[in-house]
Amino acid sequence: DLRFDRQAEIESQVGDLTPFFGALSYLSSDTNKWTLETLALINRTCQVCEMRLKQLFDCPRPIAFAQEVQPMIQTPGHPTWPSGHATESFAAATLMAYLTDPNYENPVQGVQAQLPAYRLAARIALNRTVAGVHFPTDSVAGAALGIAIAEFIINYSSGAARTNGYAYNGGAFTGDFNLSLLGTTMPAGGGSNPTITRTDIPLPAPEDRSGLLQKLWKATKKEWK
């Protein structure tokens, strides 16, 4: 039912998602070049991780189950799970919320509070189901993966002592995908059976980390002072 309203949006989101996050705040190459560099780093890391998982699990796309799905766009040739769009958009949302939203505390709180960055990420992810190329569970898995990747890069680069890992139990997930439902699947989300769990993970000592990433992060943060 949403296809007519979202057709142009879905088609424009086939490629780079970064420009959509310019709706949240300034993202100009003149004033935010290091933020764009960090977004590119996070996005590329997501792509490497998501493609390895896609190939490992080799889950078929919706069109493999029924021709009646008739996707609005060309179905990608690689497997469906996890959703790359969900992974990349929730990773970008985590970075942008951290940098720009005064109400941001952590990704779980950000999702459950439905901060603007996460609302945008959820719409991008949901559009892929509307388009007929993804299942809802693909987006839940992608959201958890994207959040974990962005949080790791932020914590690693900023010198934090720890980060969080997220585990998604796809077998326990039922229903559709939207930001409210995603919030209930996360720790302390109020759901009867949370399907996403969080684990505290120690990081190497700051002196054992990449100095280049630390410099990039300092330059990125400086753009938002």
Side-chain angles (χ1 to χ4, degrees):
D1 293 341
L2 293 173
R3 284 186 170 184
F4 179 79
D5 290 337
R6 303 223 185 161
Q7 181 174 356
E9 192 175 324
I10 287 169
E11 290 176 350
S12 66
Q13 289 170 349
V14 171
D16 183 18
L17 301 176
T18 301
F20 289 89
F21 288 88
L24 299 171
S25 189
Y26 291 107
L27 271 184
S28 165
S29 58
D30 294 326
T31 58
N32 305 100
K33 65 177 182 178
W34 299 117
T35 302
L36 290 169
E37 190 73 23
T38 302
L39 276 169
L41 167 67
I42 289 175
N43 185 61
R44 184 57 181 154
T45 305
C46 287
Q47 290 172 357
V48 171
C49 294
E50 74 201 27
M51 290 307 298
R52 290 186 179 185
L53 290 173
K54 284 174 179 289
Q55 298 298 334
L56 175 66
F57 287 98
D58 197 24
C59 296
R61 296 270 181 173
I63 199 172
F65 292 90
Q67 290 184 331
E68 288 80 2
V69 173
Q70 295 186 18
M72 299 173 64
I73 55 177
Q74 179 66 48
T75 297
H78 51 260
T80 192
W81 195 96
S83 164
H85 274 64
T87 303
E88 294 159 31
S89 61
F90 273 88
T94 299
L95 175 67
M96 294 304 294
Y98 183 99
L99 291 172
T100 68
D101 199 317
N103 296 314
Y104 177 82
E105 298 174 13
N106 58 65
V108 173
Q109 173 270 339
V111 168
Q112 293 169 350
Q114 298 198 14
L115 299 183
Y118 290 106
R119 290 176 66 88
L120 176 57
R123 185 175 177 99
I124 292 171
L126 177 58
N127 280 345
R128 301 293 282 179
T129 302
V130 174
V133 297
H134 271 297
F135 297 102
T137 186
D138 303 339
S139 293
V140 181
L145 178 61
I147 286 171
I149 290 171
E151 199 172 11
F152 168 77
I153 291 176
I154 291 170
N155 289 332
Y156 183 96
S157 304
S158 65
R162 315 185 77 81
T163 192
N164 290 303
Y166 296 85
Y168 170 51
N169 180 3
F173 174 80
T174 58
D176 207 344
F177 172 84
N178 60 50
L179 197 58
S180 296
L181 293 175
L182 177 63
T184 65
T185 70
M186 303 186 84
S192 59
N193 185 25
T195 58
I196 298 176
T197 54
R198 180 171 55 186
T199 304
D200 185 60
I201 300 173
L203 292 172
E207 60 271 18
D208 296 330
R209 305 182 198 183
S210 166
L212 184 60
L213 285 178
Q214 294 181 50
K215 290 180 180 179
L216 174 60
W217 182 245
K218 288 179 181 178
T220 299
K221 287 273 288 182
K222 189 176 180 180
E223 291 179 340
W224 299 97
K225 286 186 177 180

